[in-house]
Amino acid sequence: MKKRLILGAMALLMLFPAKAQIAWQQVEPGVWKGIVGTPEEYSLLSVAGVTPQKEGFSRLPEVTLPGLANEIVGTIQDGKTSLRIPLQRKEQLYGFGLNFQTVHQRGKILNLHVDHYGGRDNGRTHAPVPFYISSQGYGVLINSARYLTVYAGSGARKDSPNAPVAKDRNLDKTWTSAPYSDAVSILVPAPGTEIYLFAGPTPMDVIRRYNLFCGGGTLPPRWGLGFTQRTKKLYTAEDVKKEADEFEQRGFPLDFIGLEPGWQSKAYPCTFEWDATRYPNPAGFVKEMLDRGVRINLWTNPYVSPESKIYKDMYPVSGSHTVWCGIVPDLAGEKARRIWMDKLEQEHVSIGVSGYKVDEVDGYDRYVWPDVATFPSGIAAEQMRQTYGLWVQRTTAELYKKRNQRTFGLVRASNAGAASFPYVIYNDYYSHQDFITALINSGFSGVLWTPEVRSSKSSEDWLRRFQSVVFSPMAMINAWASGTKPWTFPEVENQIKEYAMLRMQMMPYWYSEFARYHFDGIPPFRAMSLEPGFNPEQGSTAKLSDAHLEDNPYLEAVSKEIKDQYMAGEYLLVAPMFTGQTERMVVLPKGDWYDFYTGKYVGNGEKITVTPGLDRIPVYVKDGAILPFMEARLHAPKAGEKVNLEIRHYGKADGAYRLYDDDGETFDYEKGAYSWRDIKVTRDKKGKLKGTISKAEKGKPNNVANVTWKFMTEE
Ligand code: GAL
């Protein structure tokens, strides 16, 4: 009898799966956590080890639980969790990780899966962050380390109050194969998950809350914002020294050099040990480079060669499968992390190596471990794939944190919770256009991205790519295969030098903007749609009938998205030129905009067509902007070193900016050793613009020597 009852109950459960509204618990101001079913302990946020940047929330508007919260439903069926989050008509969605070809995500079906980007925005990418932002001013994060299937406004329930209306394909031209859908549905292949809801009110506030929740954005060392070159893979210590000297002699800036696989005795798989012929005296070499003002960054992947001295110790704490015949440290376990960290510490960090480029943690199914692999920690291969990039970032970042020394490096995989990690994502895909779209999307996902320059078929392409990378988180030439140098194309050498120096001159701006990323969660590189006064209607390129657009938000989205211009810091709108282009359209948000180079007025809330010539990447500046520049120099200022500032003002409006300062190298800012100085531009009695900067606070870091003012816009 009893057995029958149980069986009956089970049958009922199968018919009517456990469906529940979610009980929301506020975890930070404007951030709520919901639990569906039984969430797994191992999650994206647990791996990232997130500690919110609490103080930053105090500068955001007070908000209450978005009404939408009560309409979000979680269902457990078949051992899996499905989530349903309603959508309104016209609502647009952004995020879902590092996409390369699209900014608007409504209508997409995505399988969020860490992978090398394969040319399609299908969810397989370097940072498939399960976080999205709605144009309605809320955001959702699914804290699961599983491969998630996302229907971002695709699929219609028969009982939906907003179900699409059936159309007759025979005669109705507005029939569409993708009927209107009124919800985001997400399938989590686990019997439970945490879901987080972030309030706005604006989409930018949502992103700020997400970044602050994840620890605040990373604050790179000052030198990390200088210029970096990665050398050819078999370079010797002598080659590297010679190259650094050549940068100096030719007057090109250089703050760190990246060594590619050949610094190791064996690579693919890796020993993590220096090659004794190419680098006979690693400590001496690193020191000599530091004396030149150039730091060393080391390429590696984490797959351990049988010839590495740590192979034996690592073997029992590695996964069942190999990658290029190297064992895979089970970084979910303390022991594997310890072995790896000790090795890096002993071989590199202790002799002054400044950071790493951790490669190939993203995948390509044909070489990383398959999903049937097992790991001693008991973590599933799938979960390991989703989090390996987080582990390598967290582990290596800890090495530097322990020494109270900041690092800034590169990584090829990441995920949710990574905002505070000092890493920039890159890849091998090399489409200039798509690199810019990735830069835009990085700002929706709490990650940084560099549109690196490698080689080019023409000097035009070289210069165009170089101009873009200067307006990105990491100004880098990656010459591991090509051996190109900034002066490789003599016809554009001067232009390249001008932009490399511009990068250096703008360091006080970049540094302050990264401080805003850290303290306020504002992404330094981000989409136009986050800019007040930006009207997406202006960007519309497709000629689709209105009825069609109304029914199909996906087409509507794609027809309007702006994916080739972006905001860089508070004031700059960057509109890269691509090879072959002589003119382009730029969409200016409302408000007066000025040319970055000349200070001349260019427009207000309109589309303009520009023909800047090869020497210029179009950059526009907001009215009242204040841009702190420093003197051009070849290396970032060291801790305590004073520099002269030239403060530029653009337009006619008064301006106010906060200039950030600290030692630029340590974590002492976390203990209060930093300062913000108020810069103001206002009109005097005669109506003339005048600038002031507040005094440096006593006992606080101050890198400013003399200040001069430049009013870029002629009155
Ligand atoms: C690739 C990486 C390149 C370069 C190369 C060296 O996987 O994306 O940037 O480091 O490996 O072998």
Side-chain angles (χ1 to χ4, degrees):
M1 179 68 187
K2 212 170 161 195
K3 206 169 164 191
R4 251 204 237 152
L5 261 179
I6 295 173
L7 280 177
M10 276 171 69
L12 262 178
L13 259 179
M14 276 155 80
L15 274 177
F16 301 102
K19 178 168 150 182
Q21 262 195 352
I22 296 166
W24 296 97
Q25 176 206 346
Q26 177 149 339
V27 286
E28 293 298 335
V31 185
W32 291 265
K33 177 162 107 175
I35 306 262
V36 181
T38 313
E40 295 176 291
E41 251 170 62
Y42 189 89
S43 69
L44 299 176
L45 297 184
S46 77
V47 173
V50 157
T51 318
Q53 222 279 51
K54 288 186 177 285
E55 190 261 328
F57 284 99
S58 63
R59 288 183 292 278
L60 280 157
E62 267 181 46
V63 278
T64 51
L65 182 68
L68 162 106
N70 300 324
E71 294 168 54
I72 301 178
V73 175
T75 312
I76 314 286
Q77 189 178 18
D78 187 25
K80 297 179 187 141
T81 307
S82 70
L83 302 164
R84 183 177 160 85
I85 305 130
L87 287 172
Q88 292 175 28
R89 268 182 200 277
K90 298 252 171 201
E91 184 171 354
Q92 292 298 352
L93 306 176
Y94 305 93
F96 292 116
L98 197 63
N99 287 297
F100 285 73
Q101 294 177 340
T102 50
V103 177
H104 288 78
Q105 302 303 324
R106 184 160 182 179
K108 289 276 191 58
I109 298 170
L110 303 163
N111 286 297
L112 300 182
H113 187 310
V114 169
D115 203 349
H116 195 281
Y117 182 68
R120 281 178 55 212
D121 284 3
N122 56 10
R124 282 193 173 235
T125 182
H126 307 270
V129 181
F131 171 60
Y132 70 92
I133 300 114
S134 157
S135 56
Q136 300 285 341
Y138 67 87
V140 175
L141 167 71
I142 313 302
N143 183 27
S144 164
R146 297 280 170 184
Y147 300 145
L148 307 185
T149 309
V150 175
Y151 301 87
S154 173
R157 281 185 67 96
K158 67 179 182 187
D159 58 358
S160 165
N162 306 310
V165 182
K167 286 181 176 173
D168 171 24
R169 194 180 185 182
N170 291 339
L171 298 172
D172 189 343
K173 283 207 181 91
T174 66
W175 183 93
T176 159
S177 62
Y180 179 78
S181 163
D182 66 344
V184 174
S185 313
I186 300 175
L187 187 66
V188 182
T193 184
E194 282 181 3
I195 168 171
Y196 287 84
L197 187 58
F198 296 81
T202 66
M204 176 64 116
D205 296 327
V206 173
I207 294 172
R208 289 178 61 182
R209 285 182 212 275
Y210 170 78
N211 285 334
L212 291 170
F213 185 65
C214 298
T218 186
L219 179 59
R222 267 204 181 85
W223 57 260
L225 300 176
F227 196 78
T228 180
Q229 171 88 11
R230 303 200 69 85
T231 54
K232 227 175 164 179
K233 84 172 185 219
L234 288 181
Y235 259 34
T236 64
E238 289 314 307
D239 295 333
V240 178
K241 284 189 254 173
K242 232 177 78 199
E243 183 136 325
D245 289 342
E246 210 175 345
F247 266 75
E248 189 85 26
Q249 283 148 18
R250 289 175 176 262
F252 279 88
L254 183 63
D255 268 300
F256 57 114
I257 275 195
L259 308 187
E260 288 288 320
W263 69 268
Q264 296 198 40
S265 56
K266 296 265 161 49
Y268 290 92
C270 294
T271 58
F272 317 105
E273 288 149 24
W274 294 86
D275 182 78
T277 45
R278 291 184 287 275
Y279 295 86
N281 174 8
F285 161 72
V286 173
K287 179 161 186 315
E288 269 187 67
M289 292 298 291
L290 282 173
D291 292 344
R292 287 170 164 84
V294 181
R295 288 173 167 77
I296 293 295
N297 172 289
L298 297 178
W299 171 97
T300 196
N301 63 43
Y303 312 120
V304 186
S305 160
E307 306 213 18
S308 170
K309 290 192 190 107
I310 61 169
Y311 184 80
K312 248 181 79 200
D313 287 347
M314 194 66 95
Y315 193 89
V317 284
S318 61
S320 57
H321 286 63
T322 58
V323 178
W324 296 304
C325 309
I327 52 173
V328 180
D330 179 357
L331 293 178
E334 171 70 27
K335 177 118 190 262
R337 286 205 298 277
R338 174 70 29 230
I339 296 169
W340 197 46
M341 274 167 95
D342 287 351
K343 183 69 171 172
L344 303 185
E345 166 77 35
Q346 179 199 332
E347 300 273 343
H348 325 126
V349 182
S350 66
I351 61 167
V353 165
S354 73
Y356 293 93
K357 164 178 171 179
V358 191
D359 208 8
E360 287 119 356
V361 282
D362 45 352
Y364 264 150
D365 288 349
R366 63 174 187 273
Y367 68 64
V368 289
W369 60 90
D371 287 345
V372 296
T374 56
F375 289 86
S377 61
I379 298 308
E382 165 188 7
Q383 294 170 302
M384 198 61 90
R385 180 83 176 260
Q386 296 293 69
T387 55
Y388 214 65
L390 290 176
W391 275 125
V392 299
Q393 292 180 76
R394 179 174 167 177
T395 310
T396 47
E398 265 171 33
L399 270 178
Y400 286 93
K401 187 77 197 260
K402 246 182 23 210
R403 304 173 76 89
N404 193 24
Q405 182 188 333
R406 275 183 254 170
T407 179
F408 199 45
L410 293 142
V411 72
R412 232 173 60 183
S414 196
N415 214 322
S420 72
F421 291 143
Y423 282 93
V424 181
I425 307 172
Y426 63 96
N427 73 3
D428 290 341
Y429 174 67
Y430 215 52
S431 153
H432 187 187
Q433 278 92 335
D434 291 359
F435 273 15
I436 300 307
T437 306
L439 192 54
I440 292 168
N441 284 324
S442 65
F444 289 123
S445 294
V447 296
L448 299 172
W449 162 261
T450 174
E452 65 170 39
V453 188
R454 291 186 162 197
S455 60
S456 288
K457 291 204 177 79
S458 67
S459 54
E460 179 194 356
D461 186 62
W462 182 250
L463 181 55
R464 287 309 190 197
R465 287 176 179 274
F466 195 94
Q467 288 166 341
S468 295
V469 86
V470 157
F471 291 90
S472 85
M474 192 181 274
M476 169 167 81
I477 294 179
N478 177 11
W480 73 277
S482 61
T484 39
K485 304 181 202 331
W487 50 88
T488 291
F489 291 88
E491 347 43 308
V492 293
E493 183 179 338
N494 288 339
Q495 290 95 318
I496 295 279
K497 190 187 278 181
E498 188 192 342
Y499 274 97
M501 290 316 257
L502 180 64
R503 171 79 182 191
M504 300 305 285
Q505 286 174 282
M506 290 177 74
M507 197 172 276
Y509 177 67
W510 298 131
Y511 199 57
S512 296
E513 291 303 317
F514 268 97
R516 280 155 41 93
Y517 186 35
H518 176 71
F519 289 98
D520 286 324
I522 301 169
F525 299 92
R526 56 187 189 273
M528 292 311 305
S529 60
L530 296 172
E531 191 54 29
F534 176 74
N535 175 7
E537 305 287 329
Q538 286 172 359
S540 186
T541 47
K543 285 191 185 62
L544 295 156
S545 80
D546 283 340
H548 204 157
L549 293 183
E550 178 66 18
D551 273 3
N552 192 331
Y554 178 56
L555 279 185
E556 180 176 10
V558 172
S559 72
K560 286 179 184 165
E561 63 185 6
I562 297 290
K563 53 182 190 173
D564 60 355
Q565 63 175 72
Y566 59 96
M567 293 299 299
E570 165 102 23
Y571 297 123
L572 302 180
L573 187 167
V574 182
M577 300 287 295
F578 306 109
T579 303
Q581 268 185 341
T582 50
E583 61 168 49
R584 65 158 290 165
M585 184 189 85
V586 181
V587 182
L588 298 172
K590 254 197 222 122
D592 289 342
W593 288 84
Y594 296 85
D595 184 277
F596 174 68
Y597 308 96
T598 63
K600 284 205 178 97
Y601 174 79
V602 290
N604 177 337
E606 61 197 289
K607 263 193 237 174
I608 56 171
T609 300
V610 295
T611 49
L614 186 57
D615 295 356
R616 290 279 175 253
I617 173 173
V619 179
Y620 304 102
V621 191
K622 265 190 231 178
D623 194 12
I626 290 175
L627 298 182
F629 275 48
M630 68 173 193
E631 66 222 36
R633 43 156 72 213
L634 301 185
H635 307 285
K638 295 197 194 73
E641 195 181 340
K642 288 205 177 0
V643 293
N644 293 320
L645 287 193
E646 177 191 275
I647 302 179
R648 295 190 179 183
H649 172 269
Y650 284 80
K652 303 210 157 119
D654 290 357
Y657 190 66
R658 299 210 313 152
L659 178 74
Y660 178 76
D661 220 341
D662 64 14
D663 64 23
E665 289 175 12
T666 73
F667 289 94
D668 290 356
Y669 66 89
E670 289 185 348
K671 296 183 216 111
Y674 65 86
S675 69
W676 291 98
R677 289 176 72 180
D678 285 317
I679 304 178
K680 286 206 166 82
V681 171
T682 47
R683 290 187 187 269
D684 63 14
K685 279 190 200 127
K686 288 185 193 135
K688 215 167 158 297
L689 287 169
K690 247 185 102 75
T692 55
I693 178 164
S694 65
K695 281 219 177 75
E697 245 181 282
K698 258 220 172 112
K700 295 277 180 160
N702 170 26
N703 277 51
V704 179
N706 297 319
V707 175
T708 51
W709 300 85
K710 194 164 178 181
F711 297 95
M712 293 294 292
T713 305
E714 271 174 37
E715 299 269 275

